[in-house]
Amino acid sequence: MNKAAILHISESLMAYAIRLDELNIRLRADKNDKLDISLLYTYKCDDPHLWQEVKMKKTFEDRYFSYYEIDFKLKDKRFAYVFKIQDENEVYYLSENGLEETYDFDQFYFTSFHMPYIHEADLFEPVEWMKEAVFYQIFPERFRRGDFSKDDSYINQAWEDLPKPNSFAGGDLKGIIEKLDHIKDLGVNALYLTPIFISPTNHKYDTIDYYEIDPQFGNKNDFKKLVEKAHGFGIRIVLDAVFNHMCHENPIFKDVIEKGKESRYYDWFYINGDKADVEKINYETFAHVYNMPKLKTSNREVQDYLIKIAKYWIEEFDIDGWRLDVSDEVSHDLWKRFRKEIKAAKADAVIIGENWHNAESFLRGDEFDSIMNYAFTNVCLAYFKGEKSAQETSDYLNMVIMRNRDQANRMMLNFLDTHDTPRFITEIGGSRDKVLAALSLSVVYMGANSLFYGTEIGLEGKGDPDCRRTFPWQNLEENKTYIEKVKEILEIKKHQTIKDGDIKIYSHKDLLLLERFDQEKTLSLAINLGRQKDFALADENILISNNYSNQSLGESSFVVWEKYSK
Ligand code: ARE
């Protein structure tokens, strides 16, 4: 046994409460070792010398490691445990003492792993609707123009032109309202809108007034109508909270430009000198962008200001959550307060961070519910570009799951592309078949989904700003068959096994395989991007397939089927 590979950390993502009376416990070991692993446990308030044993199951496997897990129903909240690890020759015990050949159970007070107590307030409560959420992400400036009576002197691009960094094409909220039928028809049940508040740019990530809708997009009345109509359709609305920075033209920052240290807002920013100076850029910003001065989010006053904004749009307009821009660069202290206040305002409002990297420290149940899952996007790109094999992809997807607690995994926002990335279809060389296979992978994988507007018609685009092309509505008709296929895939989301089931990810030769299962049923997905053509998999209950014929998977094909669990 490779002893160095064995890992367990108590009170972490390797031992945490799923419910008040249920724990998830994980142990890591070397993938090449054949091990028999059990959890030995006792309740501290019963007879603490009465130890029981229960087997753990191997559930995930990445490139080097196997992960063993158990979901454990507790009789009491005070819990002590050690692991018994057996290889072909010997038995070892893992406790706070480390890995040893024997374990002195009489000394467990000092040396066993502990779960001291589970408090209601510390539980990571999932947002139930996220388990079946299919988001549609809209960049409002480019989706649809619905208002032809507004002052449109700002528009500098014809709808059919390709966007440049400073293009304005005229999309607005009325346009979104008009097209809600199309969105609903796809099987979407949530919208994520990039920023809509007053700002000088087309993307509006530099806010001048957090309490007003940008007139280019409409007004509060339009927004109210949008929320009402969407809610009527069973579609929730999540807005973009740009709280890492504001616009340099925001009256708050302007006050600091004018009054310097005399401004009551001086300490809201990171300024190097007596006055903020836009010429010298003597203040911290988002990236190196002078027009986005960075807010000091550990300042209590700044926190109060931002939390009030977030609550306002929930309380006055009944929005269903926030996507948090550049959330990894904002203080944990703000996000902890933010969560408490947002959940008090609307218990099932969702909080989705924009963290491109491992965000475990934000996903413990006291800050975010979810993040934009760029790790998933990244591995999908590599796999569908042919840069990663089925085996490597499976290893990676397993690893990503093991980065987080189960609650977070079930709410991850999985997508193929966003307004910040090139369009997936363009990146993988234009294959619509591959996009459909990738979409089914995103639906069957654990978490919520997000579809970037235009995906349903195969809209192309390279990086920002090209990925933000206007929606070519005239092309809808000619894409009817493709849209139907996209709908069929999103439909899979409604299966109980996808909502609540466990997941297994593995590979077999060129096939990438995923299973979602509960006691009753198993829903499987197989994707083949390789050369193997004669592998029969699904012979009954096929839910959806592409290029799958004669019971075999050919190159660039996939199939989803369902059967009763054994
Ligand atoms: C504009 C131009 C760009 C130009 C840039 C700098 O379009 O071509 O490079 O200016 O001059 C918004 C707009 C952008 C705009 C930007 C600055 O949408 O069009 O760019 O403002 O004015 C990192 C951040 C992540 C961020 C991405 C873009 O961590 O938070 O970069 N995403 C959010 C939004 C953006 C938004 C902003 C932040 C700013 O979603 O739309 O940009 O509010 C690695 C790193 C990540 C990095 C990622 C991508 O993985 O680890 O940290 O993300 O690469 O670069």
Side-chain angles (χ1 to χ4, degrees):
M1 174 168 77
N2 175 2
K3 299 189 188 96
I6 300 287
L7 180 72
H8 176 76
I9 301 169
S10 56
E11 293 210 78
S12 75
L13 81 161
M14 299 189 101
Y16 62 93
I18 300 178
R19 276 169 274 277
L20 271 185
D21 65 346
E22 192 171 349
L23 294 182
N24 174 254
I25 296 185
R26 296 171 174 169
L27 180 99
R28 193 192 75 180
D30 189 315
K31 182 177 179 164
N32 297 315
D33 287 330
K34 285 200 172 41
L35 303 173
D36 218 353
I37 301 182
S38 329
L39 185 76
L40 303 176
Y41 65 93
T42 189
Y43 295 103
K44 288 161 68 185
C45 294
D46 286 358
D47 177 358
H49 297 286
L50 192 71
W51 285 77
Q52 301 182 64
E53 178 169 347
V54 58
K55 283 230 167 308
M56 295 182 70
K57 248 177 44 193
K58 194 198 283 185
T59 49
F60 295 97
E61 211 165 65
D62 62 21
R63 189 164 176 195
Y64 299 112
F65 302 113
S66 288
Y67 299 85
Y68 293 76
E69 277 189 301
I70 184 163
D71 281 354
F72 193 79
K73 277 266 179 208
L74 295 169
K75 274 191 355 209
D76 187 90
K77 291 184 187 119
R78 281 159 281 224
F79 189 69
Y81 62 101
V82 300
F83 298 93
K84 189 171 121 191
I85 305 171
Q86 207 164 346
D87 68 6
E88 281 116 348
N89 311 310
E90 266 176 291
V91 176
Y92 296 88
Y93 295 89
L94 180 73
S95 67
E96 285 184 354
N97 276 353
L99 198 64
E100 297 174 309
E101 282 80 4
T102 56
Y103 180 69
D104 182 354
F105 288 90
D106 290 333
Q107 289 297 310
F108 90 93
Y109 290 105
F110 292 117
T111 60
S112 74
F113 292 115
H114 271 59
M115 178 57 84
Y117 199 86
I118 301 166
H119 297 272
E120 221 156 349
D122 301 332
L123 268 187
F124 189 164
E125 292 281 5
V127 176
E128 281 301 317
W129 62 266
M130 276 298 276
K131 290 185 192 166
E132 49 192 310
V134 180
F135 280 81
Y136 190 77
Q137 188 199 334
I138 293 180
F139 190 78
E141 154 60 23
R142 304 289 153 72
F143 182 62
R144 169 87 176 172
R145 177 170 178 187
D147 186 353
F148 287 86
S149 64
K150 67 184 170 191
D151 171 7
D152 60 6
S153 53
Y154 71 96
I155 296 179
N156 59 10
Q157 176 203 310
W159 195 258
E160 50 284 352
D161 289 352
L162 292 178
K164 299 192 185 77
N166 298 316
S167 296
F168 288 89
D172 51 35
L173 298 182
K174 280 200 171 124
I176 302 175
I177 297 174
E178 255 176 43
K179 290 295 175 189
L180 272 179
D181 298 53
H182 165 76
I183 294 167
K184 181 181 165 41
D185 190 50
L186 289 172
V188 162
N189 54 25
L191 282 182
Y192 153 42
L193 307 184
T194 57
I196 58 172
F197 308 135
I198 294 186
S199 140
T201 52
N202 53 26
H203 51 71
K204 316 233 169 281
Y205 276 98
D206 41 354
T207 317
I208 287 184
D209 187 342
Y210 289 95
Y211 285 98
E212 289 297 335
I213 309 276
D214 195 293
Q216 294 171 359
F217 290 173
N219 54 37
K220 282 180 171 163
N221 210 14
D222 298 325
F223 186 62
K224 211 169 205 127
K225 278 192 195 141
L226 172 62
V227 177
E228 276 170 16
K229 189 166 176 195
H231 282 176
F233 279 176
I235 296 176
R236 292 184 159 85
I237 295 204
V238 167
L239 293 183
D240 211 320
V242 190
F243 289 172
N244 171 67
H245 49 265
M246 52 170 52
C247 180
H248 70 303
E249 290 171 22
N250 189 302
I252 291 180
F253 190 67
K254 273 166 81 177
D255 198 68
V256 185
I257 295 177
E258 274 163 35
K259 301 186 192 141
K261 282 192 165 154
E262 301 304 312
S263 164
R264 59 171 288 224
Y265 302 115
Y266 181 83
D267 202 34
W268 282 35
F269 302 91
Y270 297 91
I271 295 160
N272 186 11
D274 290 342
K275 271 189 177 179
D277 187 333
V278 179
E279 298 284 300
K280 290 193 202 136
I281 322 183
N282 62 344
Y283 47 88
E284 282 198 33
T285 56
F286 165 74
H288 296 293
V289 190
Y290 83 97
N291 59 328
M292 293 179 168
K294 183 173 172 68
L295 281 158
K296 193 182 278 180
T297 50
S298 51
N299 177 331
R300 189 93 188 170
E301 266 179 41
V302 174
Q303 295 180 357
D304 290 343
Y305 170 76
L306 297 172
I307 290 169
K308 203 168 156 197
I309 293 162
K311 281 172 68 181
Y312 171 80
W313 290 96
I314 290 179
E315 284 163 355
E316 300 298 319
F317 292 85
D318 200 22
I319 65 161
D320 302 286
W322 287 102
R323 175 266 190 193
L324 312 172
D325 192 55
V326 207
S327 48
D328 59 337
E329 295 186 26
V330 169
S331 91
H332 285 281
D333 189 45
L334 166 60
W335 294 140
K336 285 190 167 61
R337 287 188 63 204
F338 183 87
R339 181 181 185 89
K340 285 210 163 84
E341 300 255 9
I342 294 305
K343 298 286 175 176
K346 190 167 185 171
D348 71 346
V350 72
I351 302 170
I352 306 171
E354 190 221 2
N355 293 49
W356 288 56
H357 300 268
N358 187 345
E360 191 278 327
S361 67
F362 297 82
L363 291 168
R364 296 174 179 170
D366 56 352
E367 296 183 33
F368 311 158
D369 297 307
S370 165
I371 56 161
M372 299 184 77
N373 199 359
Y374 279 104
F376 173 80
T377 311
N378 176 38
V379 71
C380 270
L381 280 169
Y383 174 54
F384 286 95
K385 280 181 181 175
E387 295 167 1
K388 265 196 203 306
S389 67
Q391 164 85 57
E392 289 166 329
T393 305
S394 155
D395 287 347
Y396 197 98
L397 289 171
N398 275 284
M399 179 183 75
V400 172
I401 294 252
M402 283 293 97
R403 280 181 186 174
N404 286 296
R405 286 160 174 76
D406 186 66
Q407 291 97 318
N409 284 330
R410 290 176 189 278
M411 295 190 278
M412 279 289 159
L413 195 63
N414 302 323
F415 47 80
L416 303 178
D417 45 21
T418 68
H419 66 297
D420 282 342
T421 66
R423 295 262 180 184
F424 189 80
I425 189 164
T426 306
E427 282 282 270
I428 60 160
S431 162
R432 286 182 167 217
D433 282 340
K434 282 189 184 171
V435 175
L436 294 176
L439 264 183
S440 44
L441 176 59
S442 76
V443 167
V444 176
Y445 193 60
M446 218 173 227
N449 297 102
S450 180
L451 203 69
F452 192 32
Y453 77 98
T455 303
E456 69 275 33
I457 54 158
L459 189 58
E460 296 256 3
K462 300 192 193 81
D464 170 13
D466 194 40
C467 56
R468 305 167 179 186
R469 292 183 193 175
T470 50
F471 196 116
W473 290 102
Q474 72 281 4
N475 296 353
L476 213 51
E477 199 52 34
E478 69 195 48
N479 283 292
K480 238 176 156 175
T481 325
Y482 189 68
I483 293 176
E484 283 310 312
K485 286 187 180 166
V486 170
K487 278 166 65 175
E488 257 184 86
I489 293 169
L490 298 182
E491 191 69 16
I492 299 171
K493 195 82 195 165
K494 298 195 177 125
H495 286 255
Q496 198 59 41
T497 44
I498 297 286
K499 279 191 227 166
D500 293 313
D502 288 331
I503 189 164
K504 182 176 171 189
I505 309 156
Y506 58 109
S507 66
H508 176 83
K509 297 188 184 166
D510 282 337
L511 300 184
L512 176 63
L513 292 139
L514 271 78
E515 288 176 11
R516 298 296 304 272
F517 57 95
D518 54 25
Q519 299 281 9
E520 211 190 315
K521 286 186 174 168
T522 301
L523 186 147
S524 306
L525 161 73
I527 302 177
N528 185 9
L529 303 181
R531 286 177 301 280
Q532 183 182 329
K533 288 195 182 186
D534 57 350
F535 197 86
L537 273 169
D539 46 13
E540 53 184 329
N541 296 326
I542 292 176
L543 301 171
I544 175 167
S545 67
N546 203 31
N547 302 331
Y548 176 77
S549 61
N550 303 324
Q551 316 283 311
S552 76
L553 274 169
E555 199 177 334
S556 185
S557 61
F558 72 94
V559 58
V560 179
W561 74 101
E562 193 175 44
K563 61 179 198 293
Y564 287 99
S565 301
K566 279 184 205 109

